[in-house]
Amino acid sequence: MIGCILFSALMYHVEKLACPGRQKLQGVYTSNGFTQLEEYDRQCRATRSSDYGLCCNGNDAPLDFPSVIATFWWSMVTMTTVGFGDVYPRTSAGKIIGAITML
């Protein structure tokens, strides 16, 4: 149980580090007249991936791991099976945490 809590919190925070700064994206316009933030949101809604970084919600939490509690589900499934594949780490650091969690 302690391992699930530990790896849930660790995965959430490691993935959250890859969220792009929304203020930085807001101030830059693309060639098609939209801000980078608008383009980022459009790409994330369409494919859950973006040219500007990891797709995150308005609170700068990763879409796949929106909270430590939600990440607890991923941790439980990863520790007891090989996972469902519905949620998975997208950053290199997150993949390393995932590999350690499976061990």
Side-chain angles (χ1 to χ4, degrees):
M1 184 66 145
I2 292 173
C4 284
I5 295 169
L6 174 71
F7 283 111
S8 297
L10 192 58
M11 179 62 75
Y12 171 75
H13 290 290
V14 165
E15 290 283 297
K16 186 174 179 164
L17 290 173
C19 291
R22 296 180 88 75
Q23 277 70 24
K24 188 175 99 177
L25 294 176
Q26 180 63 41
V28 181
Y29 286 86
T30 61
S31 60
N32 59 7
F34 296 107
T35 65
Q36 286 182 344
L37 181 60
E38 292 168 330
E39 188 68 21
Y40 166 78
D41 286 336
R42 185 189 62 75
Q43 289 175 357
C44 287
R45 278 193 305 275
T47 63
R48 289 186 78 100
S49 66
S50 171
D51 297 335
Y52 301 102
L54 185 68
C55 288
C56 299
N57 63 20
N59 298 323
D60 288 332
L63 293 179
D64 289 333
F65 302 107
S67 68
V68 174
I69 301 300
T71 308
F72 187 78
W73 167 253
W74 168 85
S75 183
M76 288 293 291
V77 170
T78 301
M79 286 185 173
T80 57
T81 66
V82 291
F84 290 132
D86 57 340
V87 176
Y88 57 91
R90 296 180 187 266
T91 64
S92 297
K95 290 175 184 178
I96 290 169
I97 300 299
I100 294 169
T101 302
M102 286 187 276
L103 297 176

